Amino acid sequence: MFWGFLLGGLGVFAGSGLALGAALGLTGFLILHFVAGGATFVAVDAVWNVFNAFTLSAIPLFIILGEVMLRSGMSERIYSALTPLFQRVPGGLLHTNIAVCTVFGAVSGSSLSTAAAVGSVAYPEMTARGYDRGMVVGSLAGGGTLGLLIPPSLSLLIYGALTETSIGRLFIAGIVPGLMIAGLFMVYIFLRCLAKPGLAPKETARVRPLRILLDLLGLWPFLLLILTIMGSIAYGFATPTEAAGIGVLATIVVARAWGRLTLAMLAESFYRAMLLYAAIAFVVMGATILAQAVSLLGVPQAILETVRAADLPPLAVLALVVAIYLVLGCFFDGLSLMIMTLPIVFPLMTGLGFDAVWLGVIITVLIEIGQVTPPVGLNLSVLVSVAREEVTLGRAAYAAAPYWMILLLGVAILTAAPQLALYLPAKLM
Amino acid sequence: MAGEPSSYGGLAAAAQAVERLLSPLLVGLAVLATAAGAAIVALVGVSVAMRYLANAPLYYTEELVGLLMTAAFFLALPLVTLRAEHVRVTILVANLPPAMRRAAGLLAGLFGVVFCLWFFALCLPWLEFAFSRNLKSEVARLLLYPWMALLPLSLMLSALAFAVRALAGRRNGVGT
Amino acid sequence: EEWRFNNGLPEGRNESKQLDQFAEDVARLSEGSLTIKVFHGGSLNLKDSDVLRWLPRGAVEMGLVWANYVGRDAPALNAVLIQGSVGSSEELIEVLPEIQDIYRQELDEWGVVTAGFMALPLLKASIFCRDAPVRTLEELKTKKLRVWSNDQVETFRRLGVSAQIVGQNELYVALRTGVVDCAVYPALFAHTISLQEVTDYAAYLYPIASVPYVLGANPDAWERLTEEQRQAVTQAAEQLWARTNEYSQAEENEQAARAALKEQGVEFLEPFSEEDRAAFLEAASQTWKEMAEEAGGNAPEYRQRILDTLGR
Ligand code: NA
Ligand code: NA
């Protein structure tokens, strides 16, 4: 009955071309009404709680930051300076998407805000330069997932608090896997563009090295901006959430001094950013209602209980747990999935001898995979909004599929070599 | 839209008339959302400065940012709905013949209206709960029901926007 | 009959294990006719602060109600006892029966059946600081302090200390980077958020007014039970209370927690001085009065009942 409502509801509502947020929400309402004994009222408080969570504010703030950079001409200058540098590398500026997402991952705690911040700037700049839309969107959706893996990370914080695992160790454990996956993303882009050069434009004009250097030196205001954001966290001026707001203020100053920001442009940026935020938030709202419906029924817990009861060897259990996360990842965004499953997965896995810190990293990668799995793949929704219907959800999901597989490969590598995650924390703490 | 029954043409014209009236109102709300966004930035900036320079943190920043963020979303939602700027799954619809595509569009609009009105109905007792008890936010002691009232307002207008969009035809054409 | 029980506490906490035991006892005492499935770690996605919305309307059959979480919806419940209302563990133990009476009465009006209680361990609030030893209010005035509730903000404001609320999810990074310098936290739970990794010093300031958890039940679900099933729940709850309302190990546990933290690099300083602690309690007493008055309804009367019990 539950699965009928879930699959039927999503199929019919989303299939009709209804706004995804409404399709998810309506499915959630039906499940709450018919399966959960009419408890539809819990949806209102669930939505209210999500939007009143301070940590979520990084999302609108980073979108504003991106819009200001875009409209002031700042991002145009940045990309013009970077273009010659990557001219001869297959994949070109696509690599900067991964690199910038990695840097952003170090200042933002969630993958949604990372994808929103980088995507709102990179998508228009790169498609204007002739990059393949699918490649751009895929690299941004994939790159965005680095936001949770590279500390600070909201998922590792919540994991740490719910399981009483050392947050410091978890943070340090995320670094190497995060960089490794970023590296794998770049290798993929390199190989893919080597095989099909049309995906990334190549300029044939030779640029003198001196010119490149001068262009790069001209990037100093941008570097100053990044240092402001990272520095405000490192030196304790601001929490990572507040740093997003500081970033906006710094961007306004830099864009005024270095770009051509006017008051009208600033107002326009805020206005556009709010509409973009509302489009993304509508999906978040629907996903919240659906997640509330499913978690109230305890469905993920019930599935995992059967795994526990089966009494299988450790690696088989791990494989099953991974498979369950992959399936559930279609219907949930990352954090609610983690909160629903942890009370069972954690004792189950640590009881089988898996390391608690390692498990935190693995679960983070698994929920990252959920962020790029349709239909409820919030990174995908962010990029579809950013692309303003030039890229459909289906195409975005298709473009993100290789990154999905690389993340899964990351799980396999980390299982084969847990030391990749565990060496640094053991060494440093 | 040749060959459509005249009653439908009349409905479309009526919907377009409603859209002309509705649009400026929804733009006005989106402008308020913009102000809320600006207020979030300003509040975070002031809060950080007060804490760092004056050692006098604004203890209610988190709570107020949360309320502003909620307000910004619900104020901007109706306009985003009217302009059909939502994320959608288009893969099925795009492969339908044009006549059925039209029907799917109407059906999707109907679902959108049902969702918004259902949510609206759930919001009323929720708002009544806060209103009758004069609930206040815990830290800044702000009266909550004016903020909460934005939900049913936004959902009612969004229901209207879904209906107008479905009947008046798509603004940007169906995405493929 | 199967009931769902919402528990917001992490699965590994002792309280959660106690609830599992409670569920087992119910199954046994009802001879299997009533099973209670406890969902730990908030995995049902229901928030403790919304319990007076979802429990009376029956989203699940049972859940923990903690008065200090419901201040938005029920200020009177929140104001029954605030941080600093009691000056010692003995005083807290003395007022527990009165508090239980008040909770029963107030929750009845909210449409929640009080099926029983679970006591919290006796907790002592210490000031944890990241890079400087702080053990006087004078020193604390120069620091940025993290607290968890509105009444603490008020009380510290009266003492000239600028306190702010920082969410649980932000606290670790905030202390690591220096967004705040110090945080109020009980030593017994400090390890749960890895506080020892981001602070170097701690000093005891006041006894936490750990009000008991209520085992709340939805009235319709309660009515549907047979007399024997209700007996089973009440009896299992009484056993739970007897197990948790037991403090002979309290001081030992506190010292053990401090020793463990010390091993991990947190230096426990001398406690705040008698005068400082008295000043804190005095300020808290003012806050309490104001909160009870502002909450209105039965709140001032509840406060008076507590004060009478304490003989103040
Ligand atoms: Na991060
Ligand atoms: Na997903």
Side-chain angles (χ1 to χ4, degrees):
Chain A
M1 172 125 120
F2 161 76
W3 289 100
F5 274 106
L6 180 68
L7 298 173
L10 283 181
V12 172
F13 300 141
S16 74
L18 170 63
L20 183 59
L24 300 176
L26 200 48
T27 308
F29 280 163
L30 287 178
I31 293 174
L32 282 170
H33 188 79
F34 290 107
V35 192
T40 42
F41 57 88
V42 294
V44 191
D45 282 314
V47 167
W48 179 258
N49 290 334
V50 162
F51 286 108
N52 273 281
F54 183 59
T55 42
L56 188 86
S57 70
I59 294 168
L61 289 171
F62 277 132
I63 297 173
I64 293 172
L65 187 153
E67 289 286 326
V68 173
M69 284 185 89
L70 192 67
R71 276 161 217 284
S72 64
M74 208 170 141
S75 57
E76 211 278 322
R77 291 181 66 168
I78 295 166
Y79 276 90
S80 296
L82 286 174
T83 302
L85 192 66
F86 287 89
Q87 201 177 103
R88 312 182 75 100
V89 187
L93 288 173
L94 289 169
H95 294 288
T96 62
N97 285 348
I98 305 300
V100 174
C101 282
T102 311
V103 172
F104 242 94
V107 296
S108 98
S110 85
S111 59
L112 197 55
S113 49
T114 307
V118 184
S120 60
V121 172
Y123 178 81
E125 291 292 347
M126 292 182 63
T127 49
R129 283 174 166 75
Y131 282 82
D132 177 73
R133 291 184 202 288
M135 278 304 279
V136 175
V137 164
S139 65
L140 290 166
T145 64
L146 298 168
L148 275 187
L149 211 47
I150 293 180
S153 155
L154 202 51
S155 68
L156 291 176
L157 276 169
I158 293 174
Y159 179 93
L162 282 177
T163 64
E164 306 192 354
T165 307
S166 158
I167 293 165
R169 279 171 192 272
L170 286 166
F171 274 8
I172 296 174
I175 296 174
V176 172
L179 294 177
M180 175 185 83
I181 288 171
L184 289 173
F185 286 167
M186 287 186 170
V187 170
Y188 163 73
I189 290 172
F190 182 89
L191 294 176
R192 180 98 175 87
C193 292
L194 201 62
K196 200 174 171 199
L199 293 174
K202 264 201 167 158
E203 284 158 43
T204 43
R206 273 191 65 92
V207 184
R208 280 207 299 269
L210 186 65
R211 181 76 245 159
I212 295 180
L213 189 66
L214 284 177
D215 277 346
L216 281 180
L217 285 178
L219 282 176
W220 67 268
F222 175 62
L223 295 178
L224 184 72
L225 175 64
I226 292 197
L227 283 179
T228 308
I229 301 178
M230 296 188 87
S232 67
I233 296 176
Y235 289 102
F237 289 104
T239 63
T241 306
E242 291 170 338
I246 301 303
V248 172
L249 293 170
T251 306
I252 292 171
V253 172
V254 172
R256 177 82 194 122
W258 191 50
R260 39 162 213 273
L261 185 70
T262 62
L263 201 59
M265 235 179 244
L266 186 63
E268 175 76 8
S269 302
F270 270 79
Y271 181 74
R272 288 286 147 203
M274 283 302 121
L275 294 184
L276 192 52
Y277 158 63
I280 295 167
F282 193 56
V283 183
V284 172
M285 180 176 99
T288 301
I289 296 173
L290 183 61
Q292 176 66 78
V294 177
S295 53
L296 193 57
L297 293 171
V299 176
Q301 291 94 323
I303 298 173
L304 287 161
E305 287 288 3
T306 57
V307 174
R308 169 149 70 186
D311 209 16
L312 299 163
L315 275 181
V317 174
L318 176 65
L320 269 178
V321 166
V322 169
I324 289 168
Y325 272 90
L326 293 184
V327 173
L328 293 177
C330 301
F331 308 109
F332 302 103
D333 77 287
L335 290 180
S336 54
L337 181 56
M338 190 171 82
I339 292 168
M340 271 184 270
T341 51
L342 264 193
I344 296 174
V345 166
F346 184 78
L348 173 65
M349 301 296 282
T350 50
L352 290 170
F354 291 102
D355 183 87
V357 172
W358 175 85
L359 183 63
V361 175
I362 292 292
I363 289 183
T364 296
V365 179
L366 289 173
I367 65 175
E368 293 289 19
I369 292 177
Q371 294 287 104
V372 293
T373 313
V376 190
L378 290 179
N379 282 16
L380 301 175
S381 292
V382 166
L383 289 159
V384 172
S385 302
V386 164
R388 304 197 192 286
E389 294 222 329
E390 289 173 2
V391 175
T392 63
L393 192 64
R395 179 145 179 228
Y398 182 72
Y403 299 88
W404 188 100
M405 282 185 257
I406 292 172
L407 286 165
L408 196 56
L409 176 67
V411 173
I413 295 175
L414 287 169
T415 306
Q419 284 306 315
L420 285 173
L422 298 177
Y423 178 75
L424 267 192
K427 191 87 185 157
L428 295 179
M429 292 196 61
Chain B
M1 293 278 156
E4 296 206 19
S6 58
S7 66
Y8 177 73
L11 214 51
Q16 280 156 6
V18 173
E19 181 171 7
R20 278 192 293 278
L21 287 173
L22 196 58
S23 198
L25 171 68
L26 301 195
V27 169
L29 292 181
V31 168
L32 284 179
T34 308
I40 293 174
V41 174
L43 195 59
V44 171
V46 169
S47 173
V48 169
M50 288 288 285
R51 183 179 61 222
Y52 210 79
L53 303 175
N55 192 23
L58 304 179
Y59 54 89
Y60 49 81
T61 303
E62 290 209 2
E63 195 178 82
L64 200 50
V65 166
L67 289 171
L68 285 167
M69 201 164 46
T70 312
F73 166 51
F74 283 102
L75 285 168
L77 178 63
L79 185 64
V80 172
T81 307
L82 188 70
R83 293 188 177 166
E85 287 176 358
H86 284 303
V87 177
R88 297 176 297 133
V89 176
T90 47
I91 192 153
L92 286 176
V93 181
N95 290 309
L96 291 176
M100 285 182 69
R101 203 184 291 183
R102 179 80 227 166
L106 286 174
L107 195 60
L110 178 67
F111 289 146
V113 171
V114 169
F115 169 71
C116 289
L117 290 183
W118 195 344
F119 203 169
F120 171 82
L122 293 172
C123 282
L124 292 182
W126 175 79
L127 179 63
E128 156 72 18
F129 180 93
F131 179 78
S132 62
R133 293 164 201 273
N134 254 337
L135 294 193
K136 293 185 188 135
S137 72
E138 273 204 85
V139 182
R141 319 296 299 149
L142 294 170
L143 214 47
L144 281 173
Y145 69 79
W147 301 86
M148 290 175 151
L150 288 175
L151 268 73
L153 172 73
S154 168
L155 290 164
M156 182 51 93
L157 290 171
S158 296
L160 197 56
F162 267 120
V164 165
R165 193 70 286 130
L167 294 172
R170 283 221 174 273
R171 232 173 108 100
N172 312 319
V174 174
T176 50
Chain C
E1 184 88 22
E2 180 171 303
W3 276 17
R4 283 166 300 171
F5 188 117
N6 180 66
N7 170 29
L9 297 165
E11 195 254 348
R13 280 271 192 94
N14 180 47
E15 286 90 334
S16 300
K17 299 193 176 93
Q18 293 288 352
L19 290 176
D20 284 336
Q21 178 69 51
F22 162 76
E24 262 176 49
D25 291 347
V26 170
R28 183 173 43 79
L29 292 167
S30 70
E31 284 157 359
S33 74
L34 175 64
T35 50
I36 294 183
K37 187 159 172 41
V38 186
F39 289 83
H40 301 297
S43 62
L44 289 172
N45 238 330
L46 298 169
K47 294 275 173 291
D48 289 326
S49 51
D50 297 331
V51 61
L52 297 179
R53 297 158 181 248
W54 50 257
L55 193 52
R57 298 182 69 180
V60 293
E61 290 78 12
M62 244 183 139
L64 279 190
V65 186
W66 203 51
N68 290 351
Y69 279 147
V70 294
R72 178 197 57 200
D73 293 347
L77 265 177
N78 184 29
V80 170
L81 212 61
I82 68 163
Q83 294 306 312
S85 286
V86 291
S88 67
S89 306
E90 292 72 33
E91 280 196 337
L92 177 66
I93 295 169
E94 200 181 335
V95 295
L96 284 179
E98 193 66 34
I99 291 180
Q100 288 173 314
D101 270 356
I102 293 172
Y103 283 178
R104 259 182 217 287
Q105 177 187 340
E106 187 74 14
L107 285 175
D108 188 51
E109 287 175 28
W110 276 95
V112 171
V113 175
T114 301
F117 297 90
M118 175 168 68
L120 245 71
L122 292 179
L123 297 172
K124 295 185 158 188
S126 296
I127 305 291
F128 285 79
C129 292
R130 62 191 294 262
D131 51 19
V134 171
R135 54 166 299 271
T136 66
L137 287 177
E138 221 33 63
E139 289 162 338
L140 197 55
K141 281 180 193 165
T142 65
K143 303 292 178 199
K144 288 165 284 181
L145 176 68
R146 180 267 182 180
V147 297
W148 68 77
S149 69
N150 189 36
D151 56 282
Q152 292 172 313
V153 172
E154 271 301 304
T155 301
F156 280 107
R157 195 186 51 71
R158 279 175 214 284
L159 296 167
V161 177
S162 55
Q164 64 177 321
I165 296 173
V166 175
Q168 188 92 268
N169 287 336
E170 301 243 305
L171 179 56
Y172 182 89
V173 180
L175 273 167
R176 160 129 286 166
T177 59
V179 168
V180 291
D181 305 302
C182 302
V184 185
Y185 221 83
L188 212 52
F189 291 152
H191 69 281
T192 63
I193 57 158
S194 307
L195 209 55
Q196 73 279 5
E197 294 173 5
V198 287
T199 56
D200 288 337
Y201 302 96
Y204 166 68
L205 180 59
Y206 69 91
I208 289 183
S210 354
V211 298
Y213 291 103
V214 177
L215 309 183
N218 172 268
D220 298 330
W222 187 253
E223 282 305 312
R224 279 198 305 272
L225 295 185
T226 64
E227 188 55 43
E228 291 74 34
Q229 287 170 329
R230 265 176 250 155
Q231 282 271 321
V233 175
T234 316
Q235 238 181 65
E238 274 164 11
Q239 291 170 8
L240 173 64
W241 177 252
R243 284 197 306 277
T244 52
N245 185 34
E246 207 287 313
Y247 309 104
S248 59
Q249 306 288 313
E251 189 52 32
E252 210 171 301
N253 292 342
E254 170 77 15
Q255 292 309 328
R258 288 187 190 182
L261 289 170
K262 197 171 170 191
E263 211 146 275
Q264 293 169 302
V266 180
E267 184 184 338
F268 256 85
L269 310 163
E270 285 289 300
F272 280 67
S273 68
E274 288 287 349
E275 298 85 74
D276 278 354
R277 281 151 61 188
F280 177 85
L281 293 178
E282 176 54 37
S285 152
Q286 279 299 315
T287 308
W288 189 16
K289 185 160 184 284
E290 278 180 14
M291 272 185 70
E293 275 159 11
E294 198 193 336
N298 297 327
E301 179 213 320
Y302 294 153
R303 175 170 167 272
Q304 198 50 53
R305 277 165 67 180
I306 304 274
L307 287 175
D308 290 346
T309 311
L310 289 172
R312 287 203 202 149

